[in-house]
Amino acid sequence: SFMAMISFGNIHNDIYDIHIDAINKPNHPLQSGDVSVPIANALIGVFFAIPVIVSIGVLNSMFHSAFFALILLLLFTYNRWFKSIPIVKNLTVALLCTTPLILAVYFQEDKASLIYPVILFAFFFTFIRELVKDIEDLPGDFKENLITFPVLVGEKRARSFATVMMILSLHTLIVPVLSGVYSPSFFVFANIPVTVILLFSLSKLKNKKYKTSQKLIKLAMLIGIIGLVLSQKFPNFYSY
């Protein structure tokens, strides 16, 4: 269901951004002509229907129905209105990306204390990745009068803000250990490699290699989650 909703949001967004992406992403299926708008609209209907059918017909759960309906509404609202509001659009995407973890808290209350820091980690890193993506998309957004944060403040200031946010995001790795939620081995498995990857991402950001910077941020998120799993499996690794 989550994959279907992500697909719904992405295709719906691509249709709204068809003219902007003709500049920023000319090789995308809609822009290149590989996929027509009617087919894209049909796919939107299919991916919208999947979570509805699963929640009502398969799970028979009002909670899932309400949860998925809220996410679909948020996706539609983002594509229609929020994406034109600087920072709000980035915060919305970051929130949407944490929804599977939020749902996990509901069903695994005994592990909630372990999941909360991951939610914060995913939120911050997704927010930063979206900022860098907006910097990359600045030329097309500016031409189409889409007011994003980089369009509003300029490329240089947007890069500076993204840099500050990257540095601040490291608190999501440090605080859970200092507060005792995660074992010190989390420093070894997550903090160190994620920090190193972020340094590389910062370097690419400084050199205007925005796409590479985004990929490194995604890698940092993956390594952070893997590091958490390893730190839970080997909590005393640091003392070996």
Side-chain angles (χ1 to χ4, degrees):
S1 292
F2 276 110
M3 292 300 296
M5 286 187 292
I6 290 171
S7 298
F8 163 83
N10 286 338
I11 298 173
H12 191 251
N13 180 66
D14 285 347
I15 291 176
Y16 268 104
D17 283 354
I18 191 166
H19 297 298
I20 296 174
D21 287 342
I23 300 171
N24 293 331
K25 301 163 186 174
N27 295 322
H28 270 207
L30 277 173
Q31 284 67 37
S32 65
D34 291 339
V35 176
S36 67
V37 173
I39 291 177
N41 280 322
L43 289 172
I44 285 177
V46 171
F47 289 126
F48 179 87
I50 289 174
V52 175
I53 293 172
V54 169
S55 59
I56 298 177
V58 179
L59 298 177
N60 192 26
S61 168
M62 287 302 299
F63 172 81
H64 281 89
S65 299
F67 188 80
F68 290 148
L70 182 61
I71 295 175
L72 288 169
L73 177 62
L74 191 55
L75 282 167
F76 179 83
T77 304
Y78 167 80
N79 290 334
R80 186 66 181 85
W81 293 290
F82 287 174
K83 69 182 305 175
S84 299
I85 307 176
I87 298 298
V88 171
K89 64 164 291 192
N90 309 97
L91 292 171
T92 303
V93 174
L95 176 62
L96 284 166
C97 287
T98 64
T99 51
L101 294 168
I102 294 173
L103 188 62
V105 169
Y106 180 83
F107 288 103
Q108 300 186 52
E109 294 182 10
D110 57 321
K111 297 181 179 179
S113 62
L114 296 176
I115 301 174
Y116 286 135
V118 183
I119 293 175
L120 192 61
F121 170 77
F123 182 86
F124 262 85
F125 276 65
T126 302
F127 176 73
I128 296 165
R129 181 180 61 80
E130 286 297 308
L131 278 175
V132 178
K133 181 176 179 294
D134 280 349
I135 299 173
E136 179 191 14
D137 291 344
L138 195 154
D141 292 342
F142 181 80
K143 186 174 181 179
E144 292 294 326
N145 296 316
L146 182 62
I147 308 301
T148 62
F149 184 70
V151 170
L152 190 65
V153 304
E155 183 178 357
K156 184 177 180 180
R157 289 181 179 177
R159 279 204 314 271
S160 297
F161 181 65
T163 298
V164 171
M165 291 304 298
M166 279 192 192
I167 296 171
L168 290 178
S169 69
L170 292 175
H171 85 278
T172 63
L173 300 170
I174 298 171
V175 172
V177 178
L178 296 180
S179 62
V181 176
Y182 295 162
S183 70
S185 64
F186 186 73
F187 274 116
V188 177
F189 291 118
N191 287 38
I192 294 175
V194 168
T195 301
V196 170
I197 294 170
L198 275 188
L199 288 174
F200 279 109
S201 181
L202 280 169
S203 175
K204 297 300 180 183
L205 179 65
K206 182 179 179 182
N207 294 319
K208 301 184 180 181
K209 304 292 184 181
Y210 301 128
K211 190 172 293 293
T212 304
S213 180
Q214 291 176 63
K215 289 179 180 179
L216 287 169
I217 294 170
K218 290 180 182 179
L219 177 61
M221 293 174 65
L222 176 62
I223 295 299
I225 294 172
I226 293 174
L228 171 60
V229 174
L230 291 175
S231 68
Q232 294 301 306
K233 188 173 181 62
F234 306 105
N236 298 315
F237 178 84
Y238 69 96
S239 63
Y240 288 168

